[in-house]
Amino acid sequence: MSKAPSNPGRADDERGGNPRRAPLNIDLALQGGGAHGAYTWGVLNRILEEDWLTIEAISGTSAGAMNAAVLASGYASGGREGARDTLNRYWRKVADAARFSPFQRSPLDVLLGRWTLDTSPLFVAMDMMSRVVSPYSLNPMGTNPLTDILAEIIDFDAVAKGPIKLFISATNVRTGRNRVFRNAEITPQVLLASACLPTLFHAVEIDGESYWDGGYSGNPPMTPLIEESTASDTILVQINPVERPGTPRTAREILNRLNEVSFNAVLLKELRMMALLQREAVSGSGEGARWARMRVHRIASDAMTELGYSSKLNAEWEFLTMLHDEGRRSAEAFYRTHRDEIGKRSTLDLAEFTKGV
């Protein structure tokens, strides 16, 4: 992949005289969130239509890791259209597998158009059991429905040699530290480790160490993008709400909010560090200066605050496509508002966004 200019300019648009941006390398930071990752699918679908933006690197966790690897695989063999097609096939396979899942919406929720599984008898039973019974007892064989899908959809050799750098995070169970896996290290097991919720699945063993979901230690980690990519613009696709109005009062609401807070904590601390470095930035080179120069953009949707934890396990095609469409709308709104600022300045006020962290 050829390097894009670090200071993009403008060119005439052949499609009708509108100004066209010159090529620009960007990085992507993709959060995890189970089925809510379909929102990120929609965002990526729209980003891939912007042919002036070249994806240099992606940092991903959990569902973000799946999206990252699927995109990189499709891009390596078929360019932008190959990436979009492979993402579509992956999420279609997830939905097809979910037709046999015991976790289905109740008839009342279907009738009322609610995506939650909170009133699904089997989900309620599983949720209660997961707090007192180990997944090693509930699922003694350690099966995961994503295993075959990942092996079928992703060409891991293409990912290893492809032009897009990947940084996939998982949490080392023994040390509690984040481990970042890079292209040549990525396998189905690495992706399953990045998405391993310890109350539902066995820890995934890699190189003699056990791993849980990367969201506990970095969702997603920003440091590899700063240190190992030449791009100066990072688009964060956030699916876990940072703020949620009101105080949760039911047990389920409290657990849902705890999940969101814990899965945003490390990311907010990294962004806070960037904000502090930007405030103290001086001319010069070095790692600190690069952190300070990074331009950060964020794509998110208030619609995600309407969804609770249980819907992260709802992989119905209608739900996934709804999230996909919301992701495309969010990306389109971002471009309409900030297109001319990408490559020039941050569109996310890090100091304000991380205030109080």
Side-chain angles (χ1 to χ4, degrees):
M1 182 183 298
S2 60
K3 296 288 183 183
S6 58
N7 295 310
R10 281 183 169 274
D12 291 334
D13 191 341
E14 299 171 356
R15 293 169 293 182
N18 295 322
R20 177 171 57 86
R21 292 294 303 271
L24 175 72
N25 280 10
I26 63 167
D27 294 334
L28 299 175
L30 310 180
Q31 276 202 323
H36 293 184
Y39 171 85
T40 302
W41 165 35
V43 172
L44 297 176
N45 196 316
R46 181 64 185 84
I47 287 176
L48 289 164
E49 293 177 358
E50 296 289 325
D51 57 9
W52 61 284
L53 294 177
T54 297
I55 301 170
E56 179 173 341
I58 307 176
S59 175
T61 297
S62 193
M66 307 291 180
N67 276 318
V70 170
L71 184 153
S73 174
Y75 192 95
S77 58
R80 296 172 186 273
E81 287 306 310
R84 295 176 69 196
D85 177 66
T86 307
L87 281 164
N88 183 76
R89 289 194 296 114
Y90 168 75
W91 285 102
R92 180 80 254 189
K93 286 285 186 181
V94 169
D96 287 345
R99 287 185 297 177
F100 306 104
S101 169
F103 305 136
Q104 303 290 338
R105 288 186 295 161
S106 69
L108 179 60
D109 287 325
V110 173
L111 181 65
L112 296 177
R114 298 186 302 214
W115 299 111
T116 181
L117 297 179
D118 286 353
T119 58
S120 165
L122 284 174
F123 172 79
V124 171
M126 181 280 299
D127 188 40
M128 294 179 64
M129 290 184 65
S130 69
R131 301 178 200 180
V132 294
V133 182
S134 165
Y136 292 83
S137 298
L138 290 174
N139 181 15
M141 298 301 294
T143 57
N144 189 317
L146 285 177
T147 303
D148 293 339
I149 295 175
L150 294 172
E152 177 182 351
I153 295 294
I154 299 175
D155 182 342
F156 288 92
D157 289 334
V159 169
K161 302 171 185 176
I164 298 177
K165 299 174 185 176
L166 294 186
F167 306 108
I168 303 303
S169 67
T171 302
N172 185 302
V173 178
R174 179 178 60 85
T175 66
R177 295 188 177 93
N178 184 265
R179 176 175 172 180
V180 176
F181 297 85
R182 290 157 178 82
N183 294 58
E185 303 172 295
I186 296 172
T187 64
Q189 289 301 100
V190 166
L191 296 178
L192 293 175
S194 184
C196 177
L197 291 173
T199 57
L200 296 181
F201 300 107
H202 296 199
V204 178
E205 186 170 316
I206 301 171
D207 300 331
E209 294 279 5
S210 296
Y211 291 90
W212 283 340
D213 196 300
Y216 297 111
S217 54
N219 191 20
M222 301 292 286
T223 302
L225 299 177
I226 304 293
E227 296 180 344
E228 301 181 45
S229 171
T230 65
S232 293
D233 286 76
T234 295
I235 298 177
L236 167 65
V237 183
Q238 191 162 28
I239 58 180
N240 293 291
V242 173
E243 296 185 4
R244 184 180 285 276
T247 300
R249 298 190 180 277
T250 69
R252 198 174 303 281
E253 289 173 344
I254 292 169
L255 289 172
N256 177 60
R257 188 59 184 146
L258 281 172
N259 177 275
E260 292 173 345
V261 170
S262 63
F263 272 46
N264 279 325
V266 178
L267 171 66
L268 289 174
K269 289 184 181 300
E270 283 193 287
L271 295 177
R272 182 60 176 171
M273 180 172 66
M274 294 175 68
L276 293 173
L277 287 170
Q278 288 178 354
R279 190 176 68 187
E280 303 297 329
V282 293
S283 60
S285 59
E287 181 180 351
R290 175 153 176 76
W291 274 85
R293 286 197 300 268
M294 177 59 70
R295 297 180 288 264
V296 183
H297 317 277
R298 175 175 175 258
I299 297 177
S301 171
D302 290 340
M304 304 307 287
T305 63
E306 300 173 7
L307 302 173
Y309 165 75
S310 69
S311 64
K312 292 180 179 181
L313 298 177
N314 180 0
E316 295 176 66
W317 182 242
E318 292 78 10
F319 182 51
L320 300 181
T321 54
M322 182 277 289
L323 289 170
H324 167 275
D325 293 346
E326 180 63 26
R328 278 195 61 91
R329 282 191 294 270
S330 298
E332 181 63 38
F334 171 79
Y335 282 126
R336 284 200 307 268
T337 305
H338 299 299
R339 187 177 189 272
D340 291 339
E341 297 172 276
I342 304 173
K344 298 176 183 177
R345 64 184 68 87
S346 289
T347 59
L348 176 63
D349 185 339
L350 292 178
E352 182 63 28
F353 186 64
T354 61
K355 199 173 192 177
V357 174

